[in-house]
Amino acid sequence: MAQSTVAPAVSPAIGAGAPLPLRAVLPWALFVGTLMLVALYFVGAEQGATSVFAGKEVHEWVHDGRHLLGFPCH
């Protein structure tokens, strides 16, 4: 008795050669870029001349990151 097998139709996954539309990527790229700019501000400029929060709490939380990225803070 002969058996026949039929392979299921599989659509290509994203990243497997299928193009990713710009409309799907753009909102996420803007969101991540904004988060990165906010993080860079807090690490690099907060507690300076453009301070948003009073006190030294933000400075203490990002102190090691400031030195790691080359920002002077003392």
Side-chain angles (χ1 to χ4, degrees), residues 12-69:
I14 295 178
L20 191 60
L22 183 62
R23 287 181 161 229
V25 176
L26 188 61
W28 288 104
L30 290 174
F31 176 68
V32 170
T34 302
L35 284 179
M36 291 176 71
L37 286 174
V38 168
L40 183 65
Y41 167 77
F42 276 109
V43 171
E46 181 61 27
Q47 301 303 115
T50 60
S51 178
V52 174
F53 300 106
K56 294 196 181 248
E57 290 81 18
V58 174
H59 175 84
E60 294 301 325
W61 278 97
V62 298
H63 184 86
D64 293 337
R66 292 174 74 106
H67 289 298
L68 181 69
L69 294 172

